[in-house]
PDB file of all heavy atoms in Angstrom:
ATOM      1  N   MET A 386       6.617  13.576   7.733  1.00 93.00           N
ATOM      2  CA  MET A 386       5.914  14.674   8.284  1.00 93.00           C
ATOM      3  C   MET A 386       6.423  16.003   7.658  1.00 93.00           C
ATOM      4  O   MET A 386       5.622  16.820   7.313  1.00 93.00           O
ATOM      5  CB  MET A 386       6.129  14.744   9.832  1.00 93.00           C
ATOM      6  CG  MET A 386       5.521  13.665  10.619  1.00 93.00           C
ATOM      7  SD  MET A 386       5.939  13.656  12.363  1.00 93.00           S
ATOM      8  CE  MET A 386       5.184  15.225  12.898  1.00 93.00           C
ATOM      9  N   TRP A 387       7.748  16.047   7.454  1.00 94.00           N
ATOM     10  CA  TRP A 387       8.339  17.238   6.810  1.00 94.00           C
ATOM     11  C   TRP A 387       7.883  17.463   5.424  1.00 94.00           C
ATOM     12  O   TRP A 387       7.551  18.555   5.050  1.00 94.00           O
ATOM     13  CB  TRP A 387       9.862  17.084   6.826  1.00 94.00           C
ATOM     14  CG  TRP A 387      10.611  18.334   6.576  1.00 94.00           C
ATOM     15  CD1 TRP A 387      10.943  18.842   5.401  1.00 94.00           C
ATOM     16  CD2 TRP A 387      11.176  19.183   7.603  1.00 94.00           C
ATOM     17  NE1 TRP A 387      11.588  20.057   5.587  1.00 94.00           N
ATOM     18  CE2 TRP A 387      11.850  20.278   6.925  1.00 94.00           C
ATOM     19  CE3 TRP A 387      11.198  19.216   8.942  1.00 94.00           C
ATOM     20  CZ2 TRP A 387      12.444  21.293   7.536  1.00 94.00           C
ATOM     21  CZ3 TRP A 387      11.878  20.187   9.646  1.00 94.00           C
ATOM     22  CH2 TRP A 387      12.433  21.250   8.963  1.00 94.00           C
ATOM     23  N   SER A 388       7.658  16.362   4.715  1.00 92.00           N
ATOM     24  CA  SER A 388       7.188  16.459   3.313  1.00 92.00           C
ATOM     25  C   SER A 388       5.778  17.002   3.266  1.00 92.00           C
ATOM     26  O   SER A 388       5.444  17.777   2.369  1.00 92.00           O
ATOM     27  CB  SER A 388       7.229  15.066   2.627  1.00 92.00           C
ATOM     28  OG  SER A 388       6.259  14.188   3.082  1.00 92.00           O
ATOM     29  N   VAL A 389       4.884  16.656   4.218  1.00 90.00           N
ATOM     30  CA  VAL A 389       3.556  17.215   4.321  1.00 90.00           C
ATOM     31  C   VAL A 389       3.628  18.726   4.557  1.00 90.00           C
ATOM     32  O   VAL A 389       3.013  19.504   3.836  1.00 90.00           O
ATOM     33  CB  VAL A 389       2.759  16.559   5.459  1.00 90.00           C
ATOM     34  CG1 VAL A 389       1.432  17.208   5.610  1.00 90.00           C
ATOM     35  CG2 VAL A 389       2.558  15.113   5.168  1.00 90.00           C
ATOM     36  N   LEU A 390       4.499  19.199   5.522  1.00 94.00           N
ATOM     37  CA  LEU A 390       4.580  20.531   5.843  1.00 94.00           C
ATOM     38  C   LEU A 390       5.230  21.325   4.721  1.00 94.00           C
ATOM     39  O   LEU A 390       4.979  22.505   4.470  1.00 94.00           O
ATOM     40  CB  LEU A 390       5.348  20.716   7.145  1.00 94.00           C
ATOM     41  CG  LEU A 390       4.666  20.072   8.339  1.00 94.00           C
ATOM     42  CD1 LEU A 390       5.560  19.995   9.560  1.00 94.00           C
ATOM     43  CD2 LEU A 390       3.386  20.812   8.687  1.00 94.00           C
ATOM     44  N   GLN A 391       6.160  20.634   3.971  1.00 93.00           N
ATOM     45  CA  GLN A 391       6.787  21.304   2.836  1.00 93.00           C
ATOM     46  C   GLN A 391       5.808  21.609   1.753  1.00 93.00           C
ATOM     47  O   GLN A 391       5.841  22.646   1.120  1.00 93.00           O
ATOM     48  CB  GLN A 391       7.861  20.222   2.265  1.00 93.00           C
ATOM     49  CG  GLN A 391       8.943  20.890   1.448  1.00 93.00           C
ATOM     50  CD  GLN A 391      10.026  19.880   1.197  1.00 93.00           C
ATOM     51  OE1 GLN A 391       9.838  18.767   0.796  1.00 93.00           O
ATOM     52  NE2 GLN A 391      11.323  20.271   1.499  1.00 93.00           N
ATOM     53  N   ARG A 392       4.840  20.704   1.538  1.00 90.00           N
ATOM     54  CA  ARG A 392       3.731  20.947   0.549  1.00 90.00           C
ATOM     55  C   ARG A 392       2.884  22.036   1.017  1.00 90.00           C
ATOM     56  O   ARG A 392       2.444  22.946   0.241  1.00 90.00           O
ATOM     57  CB  ARG A 392       2.974  19.660   0.260  1.00 90.00           C
ATOM     58  CG  ARG A 392       3.714  18.557  -0.425  1.00 90.00           C
ATOM     59  CD  ARG A 392       2.848  17.454  -0.803  1.00 90.00           C
ATOM     60  NE  ARG A 392       3.550  16.317  -1.319  1.00 90.00           N
ATOM     61  CZ  ARG A 392       4.133  16.236  -2.554  1.00 90.00           C
ATOM     62  NH1 ARG A 392       3.949  17.225  -3.393  1.00 90.00           N
ATOM     63  NH2 ARG A 392       4.707  15.130  -2.943  1.00 90.00           N
ATOM     64  N   VAL A 393       2.554  22.024   2.330  1.00 91.00           N
ATOM     65  CA  VAL A 393       1.610  23.127   2.856  1.00 91.00           C
ATOM     66  C   VAL A 393       2.186  24.461   2.683  1.00 91.00           C
ATOM     67  O   VAL A 393       1.534  25.441   2.443  1.00 91.00           O
ATOM     68  CB  VAL A 393       1.283  22.704   4.329  1.00 91.00           C
ATOM     69  CG1 VAL A 393       0.587  23.939   4.974  1.00 91.00           C
ATOM     70  CG2 VAL A 393       0.462  21.467   4.425  1.00 91.00           C
ATOM     71  N   THR A 394       3.521  24.559   2.915  1.00 93.00           N
ATOM     72  CA  THR A 394       4.208  25.906   2.878  1.00 93.00           C
ATOM     73  C   THR A 394       5.012  26.227   1.639  1.00 93.00           C
ATOM     74  O   THR A 394       5.784  27.092   1.653  1.00 93.00           O
ATOM     75  CB  THR A 394       5.184  26.019   4.090  1.00 93.00           C
ATOM     76  OG1 THR A 394       6.216  24.927   3.949  1.00 93.00           O
ATOM     77  CG2 THR A 394       4.425  25.730   5.453  1.00 93.00           C
ATOM     78  N   GLU A 395       4.707  25.457   0.561  1.00 90.00           N
ATOM     79  CA  GLU A 395       5.526  25.582  -0.642  1.00 90.00           C
ATOM     80  C   GLU A 395       5.474  26.935  -1.299  1.00 90.00           C
ATOM     81  O   GLU A 395       6.411  27.301  -2.039  1.00 90.00           O
ATOM     82  CB  GLU A 395       5.148  24.503  -1.688  1.00 90.00           C
ATOM     83  CG  GLU A 395       3.697  24.636  -2.195  1.00 90.00           C
ATOM     84  CD  GLU A 395       3.335  23.447  -3.052  1.00 90.00           C
ATOM     85  OE1 GLU A 395       4.182  22.585  -3.274  1.00 90.00           O
ATOM     86  OE2 GLU A 395       2.120  23.447  -3.530  1.00 90.00           O
ATOM     87  N   ARG A 396       4.483  27.705  -1.101  1.00 89.00           N
ATOM     88  CA  ARG A 396       4.358  29.044  -1.684  1.00 89.00           C
ATOM     89  C   ARG A 396       5.272  30.064  -0.913  1.00 89.00           C
ATOM     90  O   ARG A 396       5.489  31.161  -1.451  1.00 89.00           O
ATOM     91  CB  ARG A 396       2.900  29.562  -1.645  1.00 89.00           C
ATOM     92  CG  ARG A 396       1.972  28.696  -2.525  1.00 89.00           C
ATOM     93  CD  ARG A 396       0.607  29.245  -2.590  1.00 89.00           C
ATOM     94  NE  ARG A 396      -0.297  28.380  -3.282  1.00 89.00           N
ATOM     95  CZ  ARG A 396      -0.925  27.377  -2.740  1.00 89.00           C
ATOM     96  NH1 ARG A 396      -0.837  27.150  -1.433  1.00 89.00           N
ATOM     97  NH2 ARG A 396      -1.727  26.574  -3.416  1.00 89.00           N
ATOM     98  N   ASN A 397       5.752  29.748   0.293  1.00 92.00           N
ATOM     99  CA  ASN A 397       6.601  30.616   1.054  1.00 92.00           C
ATOM    100  C   ASN A 397       8.064  30.264   0.709  1.00 92.00           C
ATOM    101  O   ASN A 397       8.542  29.258   1.200  1.00 92.00           O
ATOM    102  CB  ASN A 397       6.279  30.511   2.524  1.00 92.00           C
ATOM    103  CG  ASN A 397       7.179  31.370   3.348  1.00 92.00           C
ATOM    104  OD1 ASN A 397       7.931  32.188   2.863  1.00 92.00           O
ATOM    105  ND2 ASN A 397       7.075  31.186   4.667  1.00 92.00           N
TER     106      ASN A 397
END
Side-chain angles (χ1 to χ4, degrees):
M386 293 175 66
W387 196 276
S388 71
V389 174
L390 298 170
Q391 202 169 51
R392 293 188 188 281
V393 171
T394 61
E395 63 187 0
R396 296 183 187 87
N397 179 8

